[in-house]
Amino acid sequence: MNFGLDGKRILVLGGGLGIGEATVRLIAAEGAHVAVVDRELERAKAVADAVTARGGTAAAFCIDVLDDDALVAGIAQIERDFGPLDGMATVIGMAAWGSLIDIDMATWDADQNRNLRYFFLAAREVARSMMTRRVGGSIVCVGSVNGIRSAPNHGAYGAAKAGLINLVATMATEWSPFGIRVNVVAPGPIVTPRIPHTGEEGERKMMVNVPMHRRGSVEDIAKAIAFFLSDLSPYITGQTLAVDGGSLATNPFIPLADGHVPA
Ligand SMILES: NC(=O)c1ccc[n+]([C@@H]2O[C@H](COP(=O)([O-])OP(=O)(O)OC[C@H]3O[C@@H](n4cnc5c(N)ncnc54)[C@H](O)[C@@H]3O)[C@@H](O)[C@H]2O)c1
Protein backbone atom coordinates (compact mmCIF):
# COMPACT_ATOMS: atom_id res chain seq x y z
CA MET A 1 0.00 0.00 0.00
CA ASN A 2 1.22 3.51 -0.77
CA PHE A 3 1.23 5.63 2.40
CA GLY A 4 1.67 8.83 0.38
CA LEU A 5 4.79 9.70 2.37
CA ASP A 6 7.12 9.41 -0.63
CA GLY A 7 9.23 12.56 -0.97
CA LYS A 8 7.45 14.36 1.89
CA ARG A 9 9.74 16.35 4.16
CA ILE A 10 9.00 15.49 7.78
CA LEU A 11 10.57 16.93 10.92
CA VAL A 12 10.83 14.58 13.92
CA LEU A 13 11.58 16.33 17.22
CA GLY A 14 13.19 13.78 19.54
CA GLY A 15 14.12 11.42 16.69
CA GLY A 16 17.32 10.18 18.31
CA LEU A 17 15.89 7.43 20.53
CA GLY A 18 12.88 5.29 21.38
CA ILE A 19 9.56 6.14 19.73
CA GLY A 20 11.14 9.02 17.78
CA GLU A 21 13.85 6.80 16.33
CA ALA A 22 11.29 4.14 15.33
CA THR A 23 9.19 6.87 13.67
CA VAL A 24 12.17 8.14 11.68
CA ARG A 25 13.04 4.62 10.50
CA LEU A 26 9.46 3.78 9.50
CA ILE A 27 8.59 6.96 7.61
CA ALA A 28 12.01 7.02 5.90
CA ALA A 29 11.41 3.44 4.74
CA GLU A 30 8.12 4.72 3.26
CA GLY A 31 10.05 7.35 1.29
CA ALA A 32 9.81 10.40 3.57
CA HIS A 33 12.80 12.76 3.76
CA VAL A 34 13.36 13.15 7.49
CA ALA A 35 14.95 15.95 9.51
CA VAL A 36 16.00 14.23 12.74
CA VAL A 37 16.20 16.65 15.67
CA ASP A 38 17.60 15.81 19.07
CA ARG A 39 19.36 17.63 21.88
CA GLU A 40 22.00 14.87 21.60
CA LEU A 41 23.46 15.45 18.13
CA GLU A 42 25.29 12.09 18.13
CA ARG A 43 21.98 10.25 18.59
CA ALA A 44 20.33 12.17 15.76
CA LYS A 45 23.35 11.56 13.53
CA ALA A 46 23.39 7.81 14.22
CA VAL A 47 19.69 7.55 13.30
CA ALA A 48 20.07 9.72 10.16
CA ASP A 49 23.16 7.76 9.09
CA ALA A 50 21.32 4.45 9.50
CA VAL A 51 18.58 5.78 7.21
CA THR A 52 20.98 6.98 4.53
CA ALA A 53 22.94 3.69 4.73
CA ARG A 54 19.70 1.96 3.67
CA GLY A 55 19.24 4.34 0.74
CA GLY A 56 16.82 6.71 2.47
CA THR A 57 17.05 10.47 2.99
CA ALA A 58 17.65 11.97 6.43
CA ALA A 59 19.71 14.71 8.06
CA ALA A 60 20.55 15.36 11.72
CA PHE A 61 20.05 18.65 13.56
CA CYS A 62 20.85 19.62 17.15
CA ILE A 63 18.18 21.71 18.92
CA ASP A 64 17.19 21.94 22.58
CA VAL A 65 13.41 22.37 22.24
CA LEU A 66 13.23 23.98 25.70
CA ASP A 67 15.11 27.00 24.34
CA ASP A 68 12.40 29.06 22.55
CA ASP A 69 14.81 31.07 20.41
CA ALA A 70 16.83 27.99 19.42
CA LEU A 71 13.63 26.13 18.53
CA VAL A 72 12.25 28.92 16.32
CA ALA A 73 15.63 29.58 14.66
CA GLY A 74 16.26 25.84 14.28
CA ILE A 75 12.99 25.20 12.43
CA ALA A 76 13.72 28.14 10.10
CA GLN A 77 17.23 26.80 9.46
CA ILE A 78 15.92 23.30 8.72
CA GLU A 79 13.44 24.74 6.20
CA ARG A 80 16.31 26.67 4.56
CA ASP A 81 18.90 23.88 4.51
CA PHE A 82 16.76 20.73 4.30
CA GLY A 83 13.70 22.15 2.52
CA PRO A 84 10.17 23.31 3.35
CA LEU A 85 8.30 20.92 5.64
CA ASP A 86 5.20 18.87 4.82
CA GLY A 87 4.81 17.52 8.33
CA MET A 88 6.14 17.22 11.85
CA ALA A 89 6.03 14.66 14.67
CA THR A 90 6.93 15.81 18.19
CA VAL A 91 7.96 12.91 20.36
CA ILE A 92 9.88 14.54 23.24
CA GLY A 93 8.22 14.18 26.63
CA MET A 94 9.06 13.16 30.15
CA ALA A 95 7.43 12.75 33.57
CA ALA A 96 8.60 13.84 37.00
CA TRP A 97 7.50 11.40 39.70
CA GLY A 98 5.92 12.42 42.99
CA SER A 99 2.51 13.24 44.45
CA LEU A 100 0.76 16.54 43.73
CA ILE A 101 0.82 17.44 47.42
CA ASP A 102 4.64 17.55 47.38
CA ILE A 103 5.52 18.79 43.91
CA ASP A 104 7.47 22.06 43.72
CA MET A 105 6.58 24.61 41.08
CA ALA A 106 9.88 24.29 39.20
CA THR A 107 9.10 20.60 38.65
CA TRP A 108 5.52 21.46 37.65
CA ASP A 109 6.83 23.97 35.09
CA ALA A 110 9.43 21.51 33.77
CA ASP A 111 6.72 18.97 32.95
CA GLN A 112 4.56 21.60 31.21
CA ASN A 113 7.57 22.82 29.20
CA ARG A 114 8.90 19.45 28.03
CA ASN A 115 5.50 17.98 27.18
CA LEU A 116 3.17 20.84 26.19
CA ARG A 117 4.87 24.22 25.76
CA TYR A 118 7.51 23.29 23.19
CA PHE A 119 4.88 21.48 21.11
CA PHE A 120 2.77 24.65 20.90
CA LEU A 121 5.71 26.78 19.77
CA ALA A 122 7.02 24.24 17.24
CA ALA A 123 3.57 23.51 15.79
CA ARG A 124 2.84 27.23 15.40
CA GLU A 125 6.14 27.83 13.57
CA VAL A 126 5.56 24.93 11.18
CA ALA A 127 1.93 25.96 10.63
CA ARG A 128 2.93 29.58 9.93
CA SER A 129 5.37 28.35 7.29
CA MET A 130 2.73 26.09 5.69
CA MET A 131 0.19 28.93 5.66
CA THR A 132 2.70 31.35 4.09
CA ARG A 133 3.55 28.79 1.41
CA ARG A 134 -0.17 28.00 0.92
CA VAL A 135 0.40 24.27 1.37
CA GLY A 136 -1.28 21.95 3.83
CA GLY A 137 0.43 19.42 6.04
CA SER A 138 0.16 17.15 9.03
CA ILE A 139 1.36 17.68 12.60
CA VAL A 140 1.35 14.87 15.17
CA CYS A 141 2.31 14.99 18.83
CA VAL A 142 2.82 12.18 21.30
CA GLY A 143 0.54 12.34 24.34
CA SER A 144 -0.15 9.53 26.79
CA VAL A 145 -3.07 7.54 28.15
CA ASN A 146 -2.10 9.34 31.39
CA GLY A 147 -3.47 12.51 29.78
CA ILE A 148 -6.84 10.77 29.35
CA ARG A 149 -7.06 8.85 32.64
CA SER A 150 -5.73 10.20 35.95
CA ALA A 151 -1.96 10.15 36.50
CA PRO A 152 -1.30 9.35 40.17
CA ASN A 153 2.26 10.23 41.17
CA HIS A 154 2.94 12.04 37.90
CA GLY A 155 0.09 14.54 37.89
CA ALA A 156 2.00 17.41 36.29
CA TYR A 157 2.84 15.16 33.32
CA GLY A 158 -0.79 13.99 33.10
CA ALA A 159 -2.03 17.60 33.08
CA ALA A 160 0.45 18.54 30.34
CA LYS A 161 -0.48 15.52 28.20
CA ALA A 162 -4.19 16.33 28.73
CA GLY A 163 -3.40 19.87 27.57
CA LEU A 164 -2.14 18.49 24.27
CA ILE A 165 -5.54 16.95 23.56
CA ASN A 166 -7.39 20.27 23.89
CA LEU A 167 -4.64 22.26 22.15
CA VAL A 168 -4.64 19.91 19.17
CA ALA A 169 -8.44 20.14 18.89
CA THR A 170 -8.20 23.95 18.81
CA MET A 171 -5.33 23.91 16.29
CA ALA A 172 -7.37 21.55 14.11
CA THR A 173 -10.36 23.89 14.09
CA GLU A 174 -8.26 27.04 13.48
CA TRP A 175 -5.89 25.52 10.91
CA SER A 176 -8.18 23.21 8.88
CA PRO A 177 -9.01 26.04 6.42
CA PHE A 178 -5.30 26.00 5.54
CA GLY A 179 -5.24 22.23 4.97
CA ILE A 180 -3.24 21.58 8.13
CA ARG A 181 -4.24 18.51 10.16
CA VAL A 182 -3.18 18.09 13.80
CA ASN A 183 -3.57 14.91 15.86
CA VAL A 184 -2.34 13.20 19.05
CA VAL A 185 -1.06 9.64 19.44
CA ALA A 186 -1.49 8.58 23.08
CA PRO A 187 0.64 5.53 23.99
CA GLY A 188 -0.05 3.14 26.83
CA PRO A 189 2.91 1.33 28.46
CA ILE A 190 5.66 0.99 25.87
CA VAL A 191 9.02 -0.78 25.86
CA THR A 192 11.53 2.05 25.43
CA PRO A 193 15.19 2.36 26.43
CA ARG A 194 14.19 4.80 29.19
CA ILE A 195 11.29 3.04 30.97
CA PRO A 196 11.72 2.55 34.72
CA HIS A 197 12.40 -1.07 35.60
CA THR A 198 9.38 -2.21 37.61
CA GLY A 199 10.64 -5.76 38.18
CA GLU A 200 8.83 -8.95 37.20
CA GLU A 201 6.07 -8.61 39.82
CA GLY A 202 5.49 -4.91 39.04
CA GLU A 203 5.34 -5.69 35.35
CA ARG A 204 2.87 -8.55 35.87
CA LYS A 205 0.59 -6.28 37.95
CA MET A 206 0.67 -3.56 35.31
CA MET A 207 -0.10 -5.95 32.47
CA VAL A 208 -3.14 -7.35 34.33
CA ASN A 209 -5.02 -4.21 33.23
CA VAL A 210 -3.91 -4.44 29.59
CA PRO A 211 -6.24 -6.67 27.56
CA MET A 212 -3.37 -7.57 25.20
CA HIS A 213 -1.22 -8.44 28.29
CA ARG A 214 1.96 -6.89 26.91
CA ARG A 215 3.71 -3.55 26.62
CA GLY A 216 3.55 -1.95 23.21
CA SER A 217 6.67 -1.62 21.09
CA VAL A 218 8.10 1.63 19.78
CA GLU A 219 7.08 0.39 16.31
CA ASP A 220 3.44 0.10 17.48
CA ILE A 221 3.48 3.83 18.20
CA ALA A 222 5.50 4.76 15.11
CA LYS A 223 2.85 3.11 12.91
CA ALA A 224 0.11 5.30 14.40
CA ILE A 225 2.26 8.43 13.96
CA ALA A 226 2.99 7.44 10.33
CA PHE A 227 -0.76 6.96 9.76
CA PHE A 228 -1.51 10.54 10.85
CA LEU A 229 1.43 11.95 8.85
CA SER A 230 0.41 10.06 5.73
CA ASP A 231 -2.32 10.30 3.11
CA LEU A 232 -4.11 7.40 4.83
CA SER A 233 -5.78 9.92 7.17
CA PRO A 234 -6.76 12.85 4.91
CA TYR A 235 -10.11 13.57 6.67
CA ILE A 236 -8.91 13.06 10.26
CA THR A 237 -7.92 16.02 12.41
CA GLY A 238 -8.20 17.14 16.02
CA GLN A 239 -8.22 13.53 17.21
CA THR A 240 -6.49 11.60 19.97
CA LEU A 241 -5.74 7.96 19.21
CA ALA A 242 -4.87 5.73 22.16
CA VAL A 243 -2.40 3.01 21.21
CA ASP A 244 -2.59 1.04 24.43
CA GLY A 245 -3.39 -2.64 23.90
CA GLY A 246 -7.00 -1.92 24.85
CA SER A 247 -6.24 -0.47 28.32
CA LEU A 248 -8.67 2.45 28.05
CA ALA A 249 -11.43 0.12 26.92
CA THR A 250 -11.41 -1.80 30.21
CA ASN A 251 -14.02 -1.44 32.95
CA PRO A 252 -12.51 -0.89 36.43
CA PHE A 253 -15.47 -2.70 38.04
CA ILE A 254 -15.23 -5.85 35.92
CA PRO A 255 -12.04 -7.99 35.76
CA LEU A 256 -10.63 -8.79 32.36
CA ALA A 257 -11.80 -11.99 30.70
CA ASP A 258 -9.13 -14.71 30.80
CA GLY A 259 -9.35 -15.89 27.21
CA HIS A 260 -12.42 -18.17 27.26
CA VAL A 261 -12.58 -20.22 24.05
CA PRO A 262 -16.16 -20.93 22.87
CA ALA A 263 -17.15 -24.61 22.84
N1 LIG B 1 7.67 5.00 27.16
C1 LIG B 1 6.40 4.91 27.50
O1 LIG B 1 5.92 3.93 28.06
C2 LIG B 1 5.48 6.04 27.13
C3 LIG B 1 4.13 5.95 27.47
C4 LIG B 1 3.29 7.00 27.14
C5 LIG B 1 3.80 8.11 26.48
N2 LIG B 1 5.12 8.18 26.18
C6 LIG B 1 5.60 9.36 25.49
O2 LIG B 1 6.33 8.98 24.35
C7 LIG B 1 7.27 10.00 24.03
C8 LIG B 1 8.62 9.42 23.72
O3 LIG B 1 9.08 8.67 24.78
P1 LIG B 1 10.43 7.88 24.63
O4 LIG B 1 10.59 7.16 25.93
O5 LIG B 1 10.48 7.12 23.36
O6 LIG B 1 11.43 9.11 24.49
P2 LIG B 1 12.87 9.33 25.09
O7 LIG B 1 12.74 10.31 26.15
O8 LIG B 1 13.51 8.02 25.37
O9 LIG B 1 13.62 9.92 23.84
C9 LIG B 1 13.28 11.08 23.25
C10 LIG B 1 14.49 11.76 22.63
O10 LIG B 1 14.26 13.13 22.89
C11 LIG B 1 15.51 13.76 23.18
N3 LIG B 1 15.25 14.94 23.99
C12 LIG B 1 14.89 14.99 25.30
N4 LIG B 1 14.77 16.28 25.69
C13 LIG B 1 15.06 17.05 24.61
C14 LIG B 1 15.11 18.46 24.38
N5 LIG B 1 14.85 19.32 25.35
N6 LIG B 1 15.41 18.91 23.13
C15 LIG B 1 15.69 18.03 22.13
N7 LIG B 1 15.69 16.69 22.30
C16 LIG B 1 15.36 16.20 23.52
C17 LIG B 1 16.31 12.72 23.92
O11 LIG B 1 17.71 13.01 23.78
C18 LIG B 1 15.88 11.42 23.22
O12 LIG B 1 16.80 11.06 22.19
C19 LIG B 1 7.24 10.99 25.19
O13 LIG B 1 6.45 12.11 24.82
C20 LIG B 1 6.57 10.22 26.30
O14 LIG B 1 5.90 11.06 27.19
C21 LIG B 1 5.97 7.17 26.49
Side-chain angles (χ1 to χ4, degrees):
M1 174 176 288
N2 185 354
F3 273 36
L5 279 168
D6 209 19
K8 284 205 170 130
R9 275 190 219 90
I10 309 286
L11 170 62
V12 179
L13 295 184
L17 198 72
I19 293 167
E21 175 181 0
T23 301
V24 173
R25 286 174 186 267
L26 177 61
I27 63 176
E30 291 299 323
H33 297 186
V34 191
V36 187
V37 165
D38 208 285
R39 176 165 70 179
E40 312 278 339
L41 183 59
E42 288 315 309
R43 281 184 186 167
K45 266 192 178 151
V47 174
D49 288 350
V51 166
T52 48
R54 277 191 223 100
T57 305
F61 299 88
C62 181
I63 303 174
D64 180 349
V65 301
L66 300 180
D67 179 335
D68 289 358
D69 293 342
L71 181 56
V72 170
I75 290 172
Q77 187 211 332
I78 288 167
E79 291 215 294
R80 265 195 319 272
D81 298 352
F82 190 69
L85 295 168
D86 300 297
M88 174 175 72
T90 68
V91 186
I92 296 156
M94 209 179 289
W97 289 84
S99 71
L100 288 176
I101 208 74
D102 294 325
I103 193 170
D104 61 78
M105 293 317 287
T107 306
W108 171 271
D109 286 346
D111 268 14
Q112 307 314 307
N113 294 343
R114 61 193 176 185
N115 290 288
L116 178 61
R117 190 175 189 280
Y118 88 88
F119 165 71
F120 167 64
L121 187 57
R124 190 172 65 173
E125 286 307 299
V126 169
R128 279 179 173 160
S129 162
M130 289 170 175
M131 288 174 193
T132 308
R133 288 181 281 126
R134 299 185 189 283
V135 298
S138 174
I139 296 172
V140 187
C141 66
V142 175
S144 170
V145 292
N146 295 323
I148 301 170
R149 285 261 172 91
S150 64
N153 286 319
H154 50 306
Y157 172 82
K161 293 296 197 187
L164 288 174
I165 295 170
N166 186 275
L167 184 60
V168 155
T170 305
M171 287 173 171
T173 54
E174 292 189 359
W175 299 350
S176 282
F178 303 94
I180 301 168
R181 299 184 297 110
V182 196
N183 292 286
V184 186
V185 171
I190 305 301
V191 181
T192 60
R194 217 176 30 77
I195 55 165
H197 193 63
T198 51
E200 217 169 282
E201 183 54 17
E203 195 68 14
R204 196 194 57 75
K205 273 190 190 152
M206 193 189 289
M207 290 309 114
V208 159
N209 298 314
V210 181
M212 290 189 179
H213 292 310
R214 68 167 175 90
R215 279 185 187 267
S217 66
V218 289
E219 288 79 17
D220 289 331
I221 307 305
K223 284 172 186 168
I225 296 172
F227 168 72
F228 282 131
L229 288 172
S230 77
D231 290 346
L232 295 179
S233 56
Y235 197 51
I236 304 178
T237 193
Q239 296 302 304
T240 296
L241 176 63
V243 183
D244 67 345
S247 314
L248 288 184
T250 58
N251 182 327
F253 307 112
I254 304 176
L256 284 177
D258 55 4
H260 170 71
V261 178

